[in-house]
């Protein structure tokens, strides 16, 4: 399947590979119907990073990590009003609880 898609559209193949693990995780946790629309790809993160880069790309040297944190925080405050809500955001608590359960199982298995 991947080879066929690569021959048709390399960009589509990259997008599929990029969101594949996240999509399977949402299915495994039983949350794809509620959160899959927004989280089946990394587009929301890429969009946020592109917006952040408008504020931080021209900084050549950070004095320390606190300065960087302040800049990123200030940029996020500027960007926030223009961001859209995650579809299904009222059910994010289910994702948090499912991930906590997964983490607990992994700790117990280790």
């Amino acid at each position: 399947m991947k080879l066929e898609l690569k021959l048709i559209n390399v960009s589509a193949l990259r997008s599929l590979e990029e969101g594949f693990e996240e999509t399977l995780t949402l299915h495994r946790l039983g949350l794809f119907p509620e959160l899959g629309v927004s989280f089946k790809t990394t587009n929301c993160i890429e969009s946020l990073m592109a917006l952040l880069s408008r504020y931080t790309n021209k900084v050549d040297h950070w004095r320390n990590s606190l300065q960087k944190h302040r800049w990123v925080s200030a940029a996020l405050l500027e960007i926030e009003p223009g961001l859209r809500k995650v579809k299904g955001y009222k059910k994010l608590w289910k994702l948090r609880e499912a991930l906590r359960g997964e983490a607990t199982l992994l700790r117990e298995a280790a």
Side-chain angles (χ1 to χ4, degrees):
M1 180 178 117
K2 285 185 178 184
L3 181 59
E4 294 169 1
L5 186 56
K6 184 177 182 179
L7 294 173
I8 296 169
N9 189 331
V10 174
S11 179
L13 175 63
R14 286 189 194 129
S15 292
L16 175 67
E17 290 172 341
E18 180 178 281
F20 195 67
E21 186 176 338
E22 291 81 1
T23 300
L24 290 178
T25 299
L26 289 174
H27 279 290
R28 186 172 43 79
L29 296 173
L31 297 171
F32 188 81
E34 297 158 332
L35 299 171
V37 173
S38 291
F39 293 132
K40 64 183 170 189
T41 68
T42 58
N43 290 348
C44 57
I45 294 170
E46 290 173 18
S47 176
L48 180 62
M49 296 306 288
L51 291 169
L52 274 173
S53 71
R54 292 182 188 171
Y55 289 87
T56 60
N57 270 0
K58 293 188 179 182
V59 179
D60 290 330
H61 177 73
W62 302 100
R63 286 189 201 130
N64 54 48
S65 63
L66 290 176
Q67 181 190 32
K68 190 173 192 176
H69 288 191
R70 285 192 304 271
W71 273 69
V72 170
S73 298
L76 288 172
L77 288 172
E78 289 287 323
I79 294 166
E80 184 181 17
L83 296 177
R84 293 181 295 197
K85 291 180 183 171
V86 169
K87 291 180 182 169
Y89 72 95
K90 290 183 179 179
K91 298 190 179 175
L92 282 173
W93 66 271
K94 289 183 177 183
L95 179 60
R96 181 182 61 232
E97 294 303 315
L99 291 173
R100 280 184 182 158
E102 291 277 316
T104 302
L105 288 174
L106 289 172
R107 278 193 300 270
E108 289 173 357

